[in-house]
Amino acid sequence: MSDLSTDIWVLVCTTDELGVGEGVKVGTCPPIALFNIDGDYFAIDDTCSHAEYSLTDGYLDGDQIECELHYATFSVRTGEALTAPATDPVGTYPVRVEDNNIYVAATQRCVIDKFRS
C-alpha cells in the first residue's frame, strides 16, 4: 500500500506566467492558491476557512489575500487568519522553483492533473 502523505510536486506554471502581485488556482483536491509576492512564491489553501469560497477570486494586497465573499483576510506567507469573520488559518504548502518552473508540494490524498481535459 502506498503512503498517501508523501509530497506530490505539482508543476503549476513558469515564473514568466505568474507576475508579481498575481495568484493562480492549482488544480488539486482540495485546491491550492499560489501567489507571487515580490518575486517570492507562497502557496496556501485556496478555500476560505470561514465560508468555503475561493481565495484566488479575492483581492491581493501586498502579502494579504481578502476573501471576496465576506472580506476575511489571510496572510499569504503564513496562512494566518488576520480579520473576522475568519478565525481559523488556512493550510500552507512548500513551493520550489527549478529552471523557472514553479512547483507546489500537494500533500493531500488526491491530485488532479490540471493539464488533462
Side-chain angles (χ1 to χ4, degrees), residues 84-98:
T87 56
D88 295 326
V90 293
T92 61
Y93 300 85
V95 177
R96 73 178 188 211
V97 178
E98 291 179 358

Side-chain angles (χ1 to χ4, degrees), residues 11-94:
L11 172 61
V12 179
C13 60
T14 67
T15 55
D16 295 334
E17 295 172 319
L18 187 62
V20 172
E22 294 181 351
V24 65
K25 186 176 191 173
V26 182
T28 55
C29 180
I32 296 172
L34 173 68
F35 297 98
N36 179 344
I37 307 300
D38 296 325
D40 292 322
Y41 302 96
F42 299 92
I44 61 172
D45 286 328
D46 184 55
T47 305
C48 177
S49 63
H50 168 254
E52 304 269 330
Y53 197 80
S54 173
L55 292 177
T56 54
D57 290 338
Y59 173 69
L60 185 63
D61 183 17
D63 64 354
Q64 298 179 15
I65 186 71
E66 180 182 71
C67 179
E68 187 177 61
L69 187 61
H70 292 118
Y71 310 111
T73 57
F74 298 88
S75 169
V76 170
R77 296 176 186 274
T78 66
E80 177 186 4
L82 301 173
T83 63
T87 56
D88 295 326
V90 293
T92 61
Y93 300 85

